[in-house]
Amino acid sequence: MNLETVLILSGIIFTIGLYGSLTKKNSIVVVMCLELMFNAVAIAVIGFSRFRPPQVLVDSDVLSPLNVLSGHMMAVFVIAIGAAEVALALALIISIYKIKGNIELTGLNNLKN
Amino acid sequence: MSFQDFLIISPEIVISFTAISVFLLDLFINNKKFLVNVSIAGLLFSFILTLGLSNGWLIESPGVYAFFSSIKLDEFSLFFKVLIILSGVAVIGSSGEYISSNIESKGEFLGLLLLSITGMLLLVSSVELITVWVSLELTAIPLVALVALGKNDTSLEASLKFLILSAVSSVVILYGLVFLYGYSGSTYFNDIFSYISSTTSSPEDLIVLNYGLLIGIILLVLGISFKLAAFPFQMWVPDVYQGAPTPITAYLSVVSKAAGFAVLLRIIYSVLGGNDFSVILSNLFSIIAVFSMTIGNVMALRQNDIKRLLAYSTIAHAGYLLIGVASLNISGIGENLYSGPQGVLYYLAGYAFTNLTAFLLIIGVSKSIGTFELSGFAGLRKKSPLTSFVLAVSVISLLGIPPTVGFMSKIFIFSAAVNTNLTWLAIVGVINSVISAYYYLRILKIVFVDPENNQSEIKVSKSISLITLIGMIGILLLGLFPSLILEIAEIAVMSIVNI
């Protein structure tokens, strides 16, 4: 296992998520695809942090725990904020369901275009 | 963490505390007018603190770091903080009447708006990737909820569309940031810059690195185009602008765009500096600029809803602004090295005055005529001469006719493009300005020439009249004396450039 495999895995998951979130009709599925994208990014950042640690890259004098762990920290932030975003999406979907009775994105065409 | 760290982010602290107290006061107080006053008081207090930071009352001088060097207070961030806070005051100050009649959850409206402003203020001063992304999300998530707060179900629909595209764009930005982090090994702008500019790896390593960083930068630019309302992510703009409450539309079109450009400029000039990426970036921005201008202007031609029309117009203006961003001085020689970003800052300041005046007037007028259709504005000249004059000044400034600020900003942007050998881009910009004349002049024709078709009386509230009058004075003043902003903009740009 090396950086390339991790990045390829993350790229595949990200692409599935991107494709799904732009084409799917059911809004819950779209939210699931968004979550896939968040997790793909988390995989990538953990991979970078594991296989390209800053020691080899940056001179030793700027090395601090903050630098070494920044990838892991970023992953934690990604998970937390991804959850916040999904919570908001679910709240919106519930209020749309109350008004329209379904959660299909195709029904959302009141704004003229 | 020292006390100075907290002083540096004191404007943000004040606004977020104001937001929380607005949420809490909303539970106990029935007079919602009071909540508007509390919000404005908080914003003005943080404005005073920002002035204090820039004048050296609170800290010795700008250019200091806080919170483990993740936040930097420099002239650039102060410029945008002043711009954002004053636009926030204008939006909240003029939306008191709109809130009381059109919004059910008034406290949440104000509180979320203040939280979003806090996010913008953090965004323009952050110099670290995680901080950048967290503040981006702090601006985006409250905005989604704000778009949903309108009474009609079109605003829910607009909000869901906004949420999906906003989440996609922020994940794309995040993926870009992760690549920047992964291939440079640090999340700090300064470390990434020194790593990129002083890399001593073998040539093969360097190619891999450059491709990695390039992927990161391209993803970042594509994602940020959502915030700017520019080409690849522009399709949300008309729907959301039409469905959202009008004060939020004004806020999105001015403040969100300004913060997007701030983070874009900071990443270009602080992280990438003047190296091999400049050519690719310049081409990328040129393409985005051409598409944004053309799509915005051509689609605006056949709009009959004024909010939709102005939405397409903001896409076009994002295109003009991106000409200034594309004007990177690649060779690094000659005079006016940073005329591009300087023009962008001037344009953004002028655009804030212009667009806020236009949108706030539309809030006032449409309340009386009860529609956002362009035909409803017919005969406005007879009903309210002053309103139509102010509207005319802001539309003329959007179009770019002297003596308004819109004209001067286009001059600076286009001349920056010519200076950096992007003459073709400036020509495309001028052609697009000519196209835009059709729909801007159509607004003026409807307001001034067409006979009135309804008898409704135009009553614009005092706060909106006052703020739009100030806006009109600002449009003319900045247009006649551009050096007022240009000198500040030059200092601001110099403070972010890493050489």
mmCIF file of all heavy atoms in Angstrom, chain B residues 434-473:
data_model
loop_
_atom_site.group_PDB
_atom_site.id
_atom_site.type_symbol
_atom_site.label_atom_id
_atom_site.label_comp_id
_atom_site.label_asym_id
_atom_site.label_seq_id
_atom_site.Cartn_x
_atom_site.Cartn_y
_atom_site.Cartn_z
ATOM 1 N N VAL B 434 -20.629 46.326 -24.317
ATOM 2 C CA VAL B 434 -21.577 46.837 -25.313
ATOM 3 C C VAL B 434 -22.844 45.993 -25.305
ATOM 4 O O VAL B 434 -23.961 46.519 -25.331
ATOM 5 C CB VAL B 434 -20.917 46.844 -26.707
ATOM 6 C CG1 VAL B 434 -21.925 47.256 -27.755
ATOM 7 C CG2 VAL B 434 -19.736 47.770 -26.708
ATOM 8 N N ILE B 435 -22.681 44.645 -25.232
ATOM 9 C CA ILE B 435 -23.867 43.781 -25.179
ATOM 10 C C ILE B 435 -24.709 44.143 -23.962
ATOM 11 O O ILE B 435 -25.932 44.242 -24.028
ATOM 12 C CB ILE B 435 -23.460 42.296 -25.108
ATOM 13 C CG1 ILE B 435 -22.651 41.902 -26.333
ATOM 14 C CG2 ILE B 435 -24.688 41.414 -24.997
ATOM 15 C CD1 ILE B 435 -22.109 40.496 -26.257
ATOM 16 N N SER B 436 -24.016 44.374 -22.817
ATOM 17 C CA SER B 436 -24.765 44.610 -21.584
ATOM 18 C C SER B 436 -25.551 45.911 -21.654
ATOM 19 O O SER B 436 -26.533 46.068 -20.937
ATOM 20 C CB SER B 436 -23.817 44.630 -20.392
ATOM 21 O OG SER B 436 -23.072 45.812 -20.388
ATOM 22 N N ALA B 437 -25.125 46.855 -22.525
ATOM 23 C CA ALA B 437 -25.856 48.122 -22.643
ATOM 24 C C ALA B 437 -27.314 47.866 -22.985
ATOM 25 O O ALA B 437 -28.196 48.582 -22.519
ATOM 26 C CB ALA B 437 -25.209 48.995 -23.712
ATOM 27 N N TYR B 438 -27.581 46.806 -23.785
ATOM 28 C CA TYR B 438 -28.967 46.558 -24.205
ATOM 29 C C TYR B 438 -29.885 46.392 -23.005
ATOM 30 O O TYR B 438 -30.901 47.071 -22.884
ATOM 31 C CB TYR B 438 -29.022 45.314 -25.099
ATOM 32 C CG TYR B 438 -30.433 44.910 -25.428
ATOM 33 C CD1 TYR B 438 -31.152 45.589 -26.389
ATOM 34 C CD2 TYR B 438 -31.058 43.873 -24.743
ATOM 35 C CE1 TYR B 438 -32.453 45.233 -26.682
ATOM 36 C CE2 TYR B 438 -32.357 43.522 -25.024
ATOM 37 C CZ TYR B 438 -33.044 44.204 -26.003
ATOM 38 O OH TYR B 438 -34.336 43.854 -26.272
ATOM 39 N N TYR B 439 -29.505 45.494 -22.075
ATOM 40 C CA TYR B 439 -30.480 45.246 -21.000
ATOM 41 C C TYR B 439 -30.434 46.289 -19.904
ATOM 42 O O TYR B 439 -31.447 46.555 -19.265
ATOM 43 C CB TYR B 439 -30.353 43.825 -20.436
ATOM 44 C CG TYR B 439 -29.032 43.424 -19.831
ATOM 45 C CD1 TYR B 439 -28.754 43.654 -18.508
ATOM 46 C CD2 TYR B 439 -28.076 42.776 -20.607
ATOM 47 C CE1 TYR B 439 -27.558 43.257 -17.951
ATOM 48 C CE2 TYR B 439 -26.873 42.375 -20.056
ATOM 49 C CZ TYR B 439 -26.624 42.623 -18.725
ATOM 50 O OH TYR B 439 -25.444 42.238 -18.178
ATOM 51 N N TYR B 440 -29.269 46.916 -19.689
ATOM 52 C CA TYR B 440 -29.256 47.987 -18.691
ATOM 53 C C TYR B 440 -30.070 49.185 -19.179
ATOM 54 O O TYR B 440 -30.860 49.767 -18.423
ATOM 55 C CB TYR B 440 -27.823 48.427 -18.399
ATOM 56 C CG TYR B 440 -27.032 47.438 -17.579
ATOM 57 C CD1 TYR B 440 -25.740 47.077 -17.937
ATOM 58 C CD2 TYR B 440 -27.565 46.868 -16.437
ATOM 59 C CE1 TYR B 440 -25.003 46.176 -17.198
ATOM 60 C CE2 TYR B 440 -26.847 45.966 -15.698
ATOM 61 C CZ TYR B 440 -25.575 45.618 -16.074
ATOM 62 O OH TYR B 440 -24.858 44.730 -15.341
ATOM 63 N N LEU B 441 -29.885 49.542 -20.461
ATOM 64 C CA LEU B 441 -30.644 50.685 -20.981
ATOM 65 C C LEU B 441 -32.131 50.369 -21.055
ATOM 66 O O LEU B 441 -32.967 51.258 -20.961
ATOM 67 C CB LEU B 441 -30.114 51.096 -22.354
ATOM 68 C CG LEU B 441 -28.700 51.675 -22.323
ATOM 69 C CD1 LEU B 441 -28.240 52.024 -23.715
ATOM 70 C CD2 LEU B 441 -28.640 52.898 -21.428
ATOM 71 N N ARG B 442 -32.463 49.051 -21.198
ATOM 72 C CA ARG B 442 -33.872 48.678 -21.211
ATOM 73 C C ARG B 442 -34.518 49.012 -19.868
ATOM 74 O O ARG B 442 -35.651 49.483 -19.818
ATOM 75 C CB ARG B 442 -33.986 47.189 -21.516
ATOM 76 C CG ARG B 442 -35.387 46.785 -21.910
ATOM 77 C CD ARG B 442 -35.404 45.402 -22.506
ATOM 78 N NE ARG B 442 -36.448 44.618 -21.898
ATOM 79 C CZ ARG B 442 -36.249 43.464 -21.282
ATOM 80 N NH1 ARG B 442 -35.025 42.984 -21.172
ATOM 81 N NH2 ARG B 442 -37.249 42.801 -20.765
ATOM 82 N N ILE B 443 -33.771 48.778 -18.756
ATOM 83 C CA ILE B 443 -34.319 49.146 -17.445
ATOM 84 C C ILE B 443 -34.609 50.645 -17.428
ATOM 85 O O ILE B 443 -35.687 51.084 -17.016
ATOM 86 C CB ILE B 443 -33.320 48.796 -16.323
ATOM 87 C CG1 ILE B 443 -33.022 47.302 -16.312
ATOM 88 C CG2 ILE B 443 -33.865 49.237 -14.975
ATOM 89 C CD1 ILE B 443 -32.017 46.920 -15.243
ATOM 90 N N LEU B 444 -33.641 51.437 -17.903
ATOM 91 C CA LEU B 444 -33.826 52.890 -17.881
ATOM 92 C C LEU B 444 -35.004 53.299 -18.762
ATOM 93 O O LEU B 444 -35.778 54.181 -18.398
ATOM 94 C CB LEU B 444 -32.546 53.589 -18.362
ATOM 95 C CG LEU B 444 -31.346 53.453 -17.445
ATOM 96 C CD1 LEU B 444 -30.223 54.319 -17.926
ATOM 97 C CD2 LEU B 444 -31.712 53.816 -16.018
ATOM 98 N N LYS B 445 -35.143 52.631 -19.922
ATOM 99 C CA LYS B 445 -36.268 52.972 -20.816
ATOM 100 C C LYS B 445 -37.589 52.695 -20.101
ATOM 101 O O LYS B 445 -38.500 53.520 -20.129
ATOM 102 C CB LYS B 445 -36.168 52.142 -22.095
ATOM 103 C CG LYS B 445 -37.380 52.306 -23.001
ATOM 104 C CD LYS B 445 -37.370 51.298 -24.133
ATOM 105 C CE LYS B 445 -38.729 51.196 -24.772
ATOM 106 N NZ LYS B 445 -39.549 50.096 -24.253
ATOM 107 N N ILE B 446 -37.664 51.532 -19.439
ATOM 108 C CA ILE B 446 -38.920 51.196 -18.764
ATOM 109 C C ILE B 446 -39.224 52.196 -17.666
ATOM 110 O O ILE B 446 -40.350 52.664 -17.507
ATOM 111 C CB ILE B 446 -38.846 49.755 -18.214
ATOM 112 C CG1 ILE B 446 -38.922 48.778 -19.364
ATOM 113 C CG2 ILE B 446 -39.962 49.486 -17.224
ATOM 114 C CD1 ILE B 446 -38.632 47.363 -18.981
ATOM 115 N N VAL B 447 -38.176 52.587 -16.912
ATOM 116 C CA VAL B 447 -38.406 53.491 -15.789
ATOM 117 C C VAL B 447 -38.760 54.885 -16.280
ATOM 118 O O VAL B 447 -39.654 55.538 -15.742
ATOM 119 C CB VAL B 447 -37.159 53.528 -14.885
ATOM 120 C CG1 VAL B 447 -37.241 54.657 -13.896
ATOM 121 C CG2 VAL B 447 -36.996 52.212 -14.165
ATOM 122 N N PHE B 448 -38.081 55.365 -17.322
ATOM 123 C CA PHE B 448 -38.209 56.779 -17.674
ATOM 124 C C PHE B 448 -39.170 57.051 -18.819
ATOM 125 O O PHE B 448 -39.765 58.115 -18.888
ATOM 126 C CB PHE B 448 -36.824 57.359 -18.036
ATOM 127 C CG PHE B 448 -35.993 57.631 -16.828
ATOM 128 C CD1 PHE B 448 -35.097 56.693 -16.358
ATOM 129 C CD2 PHE B 448 -36.122 58.825 -16.137
ATOM 130 C CE1 PHE B 448 -34.347 56.934 -15.235
ATOM 131 C CE2 PHE B 448 -35.368 59.067 -15.010
ATOM 132 C CZ PHE B 448 -34.486 58.121 -14.562
ATOM 133 N N VAL B 449 -39.319 56.131 -19.760
ATOM 134 C CA VAL B 449 -40.092 56.425 -20.969
ATOM 135 C C VAL B 449 -41.471 55.772 -20.937
ATOM 136 O O VAL B 449 -42.474 56.413 -21.241
ATOM 137 C CB VAL B 449 -39.317 55.959 -22.223
ATOM 138 C CG1 VAL B 449 -40.097 56.295 -23.474
ATOM 139 C CG2 VAL B 449 -37.949 56.621 -22.259
ATOM 140 N N ASP B 450 -41.527 54.487 -20.537
ATOM 141 C CA ASP B 450 -42.786 53.763 -20.647
ATOM 142 C C ASP B 450 -43.880 54.411 -19.788
ATOM 143 O O ASP B 450 -43.606 54.903 -18.694
ATOM 144 C CB ASP B 450 -42.593 52.300 -20.212
ATOM 145 C CG ASP B 450 -41.903 51.501 -21.284
ATOM 146 O OD1 ASP B 450 -41.499 52.117 -22.293
ATOM 147 O OD2 ASP B 450 -41.735 50.291 -21.106
ATOM 148 N N PRO B 451 -45.126 54.402 -20.296
ATOM 149 C CA PRO B 451 -46.232 54.951 -19.486
ATOM 150 C C PRO B 451 -46.534 54.025 -18.313
ATOM 151 O O PRO B 451 -46.362 52.808 -18.409
ATOM 152 C CB PRO B 451 -47.399 54.984 -20.479
ATOM 153 C CG PRO B 451 -47.071 53.931 -21.471
ATOM 154 C CD PRO B 451 -45.584 53.893 -21.591
ATOM 155 N N GLU B 452 -46.991 54.616 -17.218
ATOM 156 C CA GLU B 452 -47.257 53.785 -16.045
ATOM 157 C C GLU B 452 -48.484 52.913 -16.284
ATOM 158 O O GLU B 452 -49.430 53.315 -16.948
ATOM 159 C CB GLU B 452 -47.442 54.652 -14.808
ATOM 160 C CG GLU B 452 -48.501 55.728 -14.933
ATOM 161 C CD GLU B 452 -48.470 56.656 -13.738
ATOM 162 O OE1 GLU B 452 -48.424 56.144 -12.613
ATOM 163 O OE2 GLU B 452 -48.478 57.874 -13.928
ATOM 164 N N ASN B 453 -48.431 51.686 -15.757
ATOM 165 C CA ASN B 453 -49.538 50.764 -16.005
ATOM 166 C C ASN B 453 -50.272 50.388 -14.727
ATOM 167 O O ASN B 453 -51.191 49.616 -14.733
ATOM 168 C CB ASN B 453 -49.042 49.510 -16.718
ATOM 169 C CG ASN B 453 -47.865 48.897 -15.992
ATOM 170 O OD1 ASN B 453 -47.557 49.309 -14.883
ATOM 171 N ND2 ASN B 453 -47.220 47.933 -16.604
ATOM 172 N N ASN B 454 -49.842 50.908 -13.585
ATOM 173 C CA ASN B 454 -50.648 50.710 -12.381
ATOM 174 C C ASN B 454 -50.537 51.964 -11.516
ATOM 175 O O ASN B 454 -49.616 52.767 -11.672
ATOM 176 C CB ASN B 454 -50.223 49.460 -11.624
ATOM 177 C CG ASN B 454 -48.750 49.478 -11.295
ATOM 178 O OD1 ASN B 454 -48.046 50.442 -11.605
ATOM 179 N ND2 ASN B 454 -48.280 48.431 -10.664
ATOM 180 N N GLN B 455 -51.482 52.113 -10.647
ATOM 181 C CA GLN B 455 -51.580 53.375 -9.912
ATOM 182 C C GLN B 455 -50.942 53.305 -8.529
ATOM 183 O O GLN B 455 -51.098 54.220 -7.742
ATOM 184 C CB GLN B 455 -53.060 53.777 -9.771
ATOM 185 C CG GLN B 455 -53.720 54.100 -11.106
ATOM 186 C CD GLN B 455 -53.045 55.247 -11.826
ATOM 187 O OE1 GLN B 455 -52.672 56.230 -11.206
ATOM 188 N NE2 GLN B 455 -52.841 55.118 -13.129
ATOM 189 N N SER B 456 -50.250 52.187 -8.248
ATOM 190 C CA SER B 456 -49.741 52.022 -6.887
ATOM 191 C C SER B 456 -48.787 53.160 -6.528
ATOM 192 O O SER B 456 -47.999 53.625 -7.348
ATOM 193 C CB SER B 456 -49.018 50.689 -6.779
ATOM 194 O OG SER B 456 -48.004 50.643 -7.740
ATOM 195 N N GLU B 457 -48.895 53.578 -5.275
ATOM 196 C CA GLU B 457 -48.048 54.678 -4.817
ATOM 197 C C GLU B 457 -46.714 54.111 -4.362
ATOM 198 O O GLU B 457 -46.665 53.063 -3.730
ATOM 199 C CB GLU B 457 -48.747 55.388 -3.652
ATOM 200 C CG GLU B 457 -48.268 56.786 -3.421
ATOM 201 C CD GLU B 457 -48.976 57.389 -2.219
ATOM 202 O OE1 GLU B 457 -50.103 56.941 -1.916
ATOM 203 O OE2 GLU B 457 -48.395 58.268 -1.587
ATOM 204 N N ILE B 458 -45.615 54.790 -4.702
ATOM 205 C CA ILE B 458 -44.292 54.310 -4.313
ATOM 206 C C ILE B 458 -43.936 54.916 -2.958
ATOM 207 O O ILE B 458 -43.874 56.142 -2.809
ATOM 208 C CB ILE B 458 -43.238 54.724 -5.352
ATOM 209 C CG1 ILE B 458 -43.597 54.210 -6.735
ATOM 210 C CG2 ILE B 458 -41.877 54.226 -4.921
ATOM 211 C CD1 ILE B 458 -43.456 52.748 -6.895
ATOM 212 N N LYS B 459 -43.778 54.040 -1.963
ATOM 213 C CA LYS B 459 -43.346 54.540 -0.649
ATOM 214 C C LYS B 459 -42.102 53.761 -0.235
ATOM 215 O O LYS B 459 -42.181 52.588 0.096
ATOM 216 C CB LYS B 459 -44.453 54.348 0.389
ATOM 217 C CG LYS B 459 -45.422 55.523 0.449
ATOM 218 C CD LYS B 459 -46.462 55.301 1.514
ATOM 219 C CE LYS B 459 -45.871 55.409 2.912
ATOM 220 N NZ LYS B 459 -46.912 55.162 3.926
ATOM 221 N N VAL B 460 -40.967 54.426 -0.314
ATOM 222 C CA VAL B 460 -39.718 53.784 0.072
ATOM 223 C C VAL B 460 -39.406 54.189 1.509
ATOM 224 O O VAL B 460 -39.500 55.369 1.855
ATOM 225 C CB VAL B 460 -38.572 54.200 -0.872
ATOM 226 C CG1 VAL B 460 -37.291 53.527 -0.469
ATOM 227 C CG2 VAL B 460 -38.928 53.858 -2.290
ATOM 228 N N SER B 461 -39.075 53.183 2.337
ATOM 229 C CA SER B 461 -38.870 53.484 3.751
ATOM 230 C C SER B 461 -37.656 54.389 3.938
ATOM 231 O O SER B 461 -36.778 54.461 3.086
ATOM 232 C CB SER B 461 -38.684 52.198 4.543
ATOM 233 O OG SER B 461 -37.440 51.651 4.224
ATOM 234 N N LYS B 462 -37.641 55.076 5.092
ATOM 235 C CA LYS B 462 -36.597 56.080 5.347
ATOM 236 C C LYS B 462 -35.208 55.468 5.322
ATOM 237 O O LYS B 462 -34.276 56.021 4.747
ATOM 238 C CB LYS B 462 -36.851 56.748 6.703
ATOM 239 C CG LYS B 462 -37.821 57.890 6.643
ATOM 240 C CD LYS B 462 -37.729 58.727 7.914
ATOM 241 C CE LYS B 462 -38.883 59.712 7.995
ATOM 242 N NZ LYS B 462 -39.839 59.367 9.056
ATOM 243 N N SER B 463 -35.079 54.266 5.977
ATOM 244 C CA SER B 463 -33.736 53.687 6.065
ATOM 245 C C SER B 463 -33.209 53.340 4.675
ATOM 246 O O SER B 463 -32.038 53.597 4.355
ATOM 247 C CB SER B 463 -33.774 52.445 6.955
ATOM 248 O OG SER B 463 -34.773 51.574 6.531
ATOM 249 N N ILE B 464 -34.092 52.797 3.819
ATOM 250 C CA ILE B 464 -33.637 52.453 2.468
ATOM 251 C C ILE B 464 -33.266 53.712 1.706
ATOM 252 O O ILE B 464 -32.225 53.765 1.029
ATOM 253 C CB ILE B 464 -34.721 51.659 1.712
ATOM 254 C CG1 ILE B 464 -34.910 50.296 2.369
ATOM 255 C CG2 ILE B 464 -34.355 51.483 0.253
ATOM 256 C CD1 ILE B 464 -35.866 49.403 1.649
ATOM 257 N N SER B 465 -34.077 54.777 1.831
ATOM 258 C CA SER B 465 -33.758 56.017 1.122
ATOM 259 C C SER B 465 -32.398 56.528 1.551
ATOM 260 O O SER B 465 -31.559 56.890 0.711
ATOM 261 C CB SER B 465 -34.802 57.097 1.414
ATOM 262 O OG SER B 465 -36.081 56.566 1.377
ATOM 263 N N LEU B 466 -32.171 56.543 2.869
ATOM 264 C CA LEU B 466 -30.907 57.077 3.383
ATOM 265 C C LEU B 466 -29.738 56.265 2.841
ATOM 266 O O LEU B 466 -28.766 56.825 2.299
ATOM 267 C CB LEU B 466 -30.928 57.037 4.913
ATOM 268 C CG LEU B 466 -29.667 57.560 5.588
ATOM 269 C CD1 LEU B 466 -29.557 59.054 5.370
ATOM 270 C CD2 LEU B 466 -29.663 57.237 7.063
ATOM 271 N N ILE B 467 -29.838 54.924 2.953
ATOM 272 C CA ILE B 467 -28.693 54.094 2.568
ATOM 273 C C ILE B 467 -28.451 54.173 1.071
ATOM 274 O O ILE B 467 -27.303 54.263 0.619
ATOM 275 C CB ILE B 467 -28.913 52.644 3.044
ATOM 276 C CG1 ILE B 467 -28.798 52.614 4.564
ATOM 277 C CG2 ILE B 467 -27.901 51.704 2.436
ATOM 278 C CD1 ILE B 467 -29.200 51.327 5.176
ATOM 279 N N THR B 468 -29.537 54.206 0.271
ATOM 280 C CA THR B 468 -29.303 54.276 -1.173
ATOM 281 C C THR B 468 -28.764 55.648 -1.572
ATOM 282 O O THR B 468 -27.962 55.748 -2.506
ATOM 283 C CB THR B 468 -30.587 53.979 -1.965
ATOM 284 O OG1 THR B 468 -31.638 54.740 -1.415
ATOM 285 C CG2 THR B 468 -30.926 52.522 -1.916
ATOM 286 N N LEU B 469 -29.167 56.699 -0.852
ATOM 287 C CA LEU B 469 -28.594 58.018 -1.157
ATOM 288 C C LEU B 469 -27.097 58.019 -0.874
ATOM 289 O O LEU B 469 -26.295 58.515 -1.677
ATOM 290 C CB LEU B 469 -29.286 59.104 -0.341
ATOM 291 C CG LEU B 469 -30.540 59.697 -0.965
ATOM 292 C CD1 LEU B 469 -31.132 60.744 -0.055
ATOM 293 C CD2 LEU B 469 -30.215 60.301 -2.322
ATOM 294 N N ILE B 470 -26.712 57.434 0.289
ATOM 295 C CA ILE B 470 -25.280 57.332 0.594
ATOM 296 C C ILE B 470 -24.583 56.527 -0.497
ATOM 297 O O ILE B 470 -23.501 56.893 -0.976
ATOM 298 C CB ILE B 470 -25.071 56.672 1.970
ATOM 299 C CG1 ILE B 470 -25.621 57.562 3.077
ATOM 300 C CG2 ILE B 470 -23.586 56.400 2.216
ATOM 301 C CD1 ILE B 470 -25.601 56.916 4.437
ATOM 302 N N GLY B 471 -25.247 55.438 -0.928
ATOM 303 C CA GLY B 471 -24.671 54.613 -1.984
ATOM 304 C C GLY B 471 -24.469 55.410 -3.258
ATOM 305 O O GLY B 471 -23.421 55.311 -3.905
ATOM 306 N N MET B 472 -25.465 56.240 -3.612
ATOM 307 C CA MET B 472 -25.340 57.022 -4.845
ATOM 308 C C MET B 472 -24.193 58.022 -4.734
ATOM 309 O O MET B 472 -23.402 58.187 -5.671
ATOM 310 C CB MET B 472 -26.642 57.763 -5.115
ATOM 311 C CG MET B 472 -26.671 58.427 -6.461
ATOM 312 S SD MET B 472 -28.026 59.574 -6.630
ATOM 313 C CE MET B 472 -27.486 60.922 -5.629
ATOM 314 N N ILE B 473 -24.099 58.670 -3.557
ATOM 315 C CA ILE B 473 -22.990 59.615 -3.362
ATOM 316 C C ILE B 473 -21.662 58.877 -3.488
ATOM 317 O O ILE B 473 -20.717 59.356 -4.126
ATOM 318 C CB ILE B 473 -23.122 60.303 -1.986
ATOM 319 C CG1 ILE B 473 -24.355 61.193 -1.985
ATOM 320 C CG2 ILE B 473 -21.883 61.124 -1.681
ATOM 321 C CD1 ILE B 473 -24.755 61.672 -0.619
#
